[in-house]
Amino acid sequence: KPQVLDFLDIISGADGGLSLVKILIQNLKPEYQHKSIVELQARAHSGVNILGYKADGKDYIFNPAADLSLGDSGVLMILGQKKDIKRFKSKYIKENI
């Protein structure tokens, strides 16, 4: 399935365009912790897509629902152009991280 492999190369960052990045929930600025996916408005503010969420001790949730609330720990998996990832980090991540 060459088209599937091409797509996986793209989202893995192999072509240099997109990056798939792990974001630790505890590194989010306090005003973004304990928010739902929709309340973050990550795509509107940065251009990234949230592909997955994993709460500590739980399985990954792929394509999490908009009303899913983030806990105070765990992981977000975001996908975007490098400039979008940088924009996301600038807006959402604590500065001393």
Side-chain angles (χ1 to χ4, degrees):
K1 301 188 181 201
Q3 293 162 335
V4 172
L5 293 176
D6 287 345
F7 180 75
L8 291 175
D9 280 344
I10 291 168
I11 66 168
S12 71
D15 74 342
L18 291 176
S19 292
L20 182 61
V21 177
K22 174 178 84 171
I23 301 293
L24 299 176
I25 300 297
Q26 61 263 28
N27 290 343
L28 292 175
K29 292 178 182 177
E31 61 265 32
Y32 299 115
Q33 294 179 359
H34 301 284
K35 298 285 186 182
S36 68
I37 299 290
V38 73
E39 288 174 317
L40 287 179
Q41 297 185 26
R43 186 166 185 171
H45 291 293
S46 68
V48 304
N49 290 299
I50 297 175
L51 295 186
Y53 171 69
K54 183 180 186 309
D56 288 342
K58 304 284 183 175
D59 292 331
Y60 270 102
I61 298 171
F62 294 98
N63 193 24
D67 63 350
L68 178 87
S69 291
L70 305 177
D72 51 3
S73 63
V75 174
L76 284 177
M77 298 300 291
I78 63 172
L79 177 71
Q81 299 286 330
K82 292 183 185 208
K83 65 179 174 48
D84 299 334
I85 300 290
K86 185 177 180 180
R87 192 177 309 129
F88 178 91
K89 288 180 176 180
S90 174
K91 179 170 180 63
Y92 293 94
I93 302 295
K94 297 175 191 172
E95 289 191 26
N96 58 355
I97 301 299

